[in-house]
Amino acid sequence: MNEIVCASGVELLMDYLDGVLPEDVRAAVDEHVAGCPRCIAFVESYRAMPRILRDATAATLPAEVEASLRAFLRARTTAFRSRH
Ligand SMILES: [Zn+2]
């Protein structure tokens, strides 16, 4: 595993937050995030977003909204990644 940098790590962070990374990769991401304010901010905002959304749409389709939000975020961060 090479050094993780933010530009190449965004998609990795999504998988990290989804809990789907292999143990060794997850440990490497853990290590990077612990020392990187930008990644900490990303992780915190990503984790907060579905909860905020659920609060705002408490009575209607939270699962569908959360799923589409995640798809949207993935598309956006993939576009971001390709520009860097
Ligand atoms: Zn970082």
Side-chain angles (χ1 to χ4, degrees), residues 4-7 13 32-33 35-40:
I4 297 166
V5 295
C6 299
L13 277 176
H32 172 86
V33 169
C36 179
R38 280 201 294 175
C39 286
I40 290 170

Side-chain angles (χ1 to χ4, degrees), residues 12-61:
L12 202 62
L13 277 176
M14 310 285 273
D15 290 340
Y16 168 72
L17 291 165
D18 284 344
V20 298
L21 291 176
E23 178 64 24
D24 58 336
V25 179
R26 193 192 61 76
V29 175
D30 258 341
E31 203 172 309
H32 172 86
V33 169
C36 179
R38 280 201 294 175
C39 286
I40 290 170
F42 179 87
V43 166
E44 285 179 353
S45 62
Y46 182 84
R47 279 181 174 153
M49 205 172 294
R51 192 182 67 235
I52 291 167
L53 203 62
R54 274 197 297 274
D55 289 347
T57 60
T60 55
L61 51 112

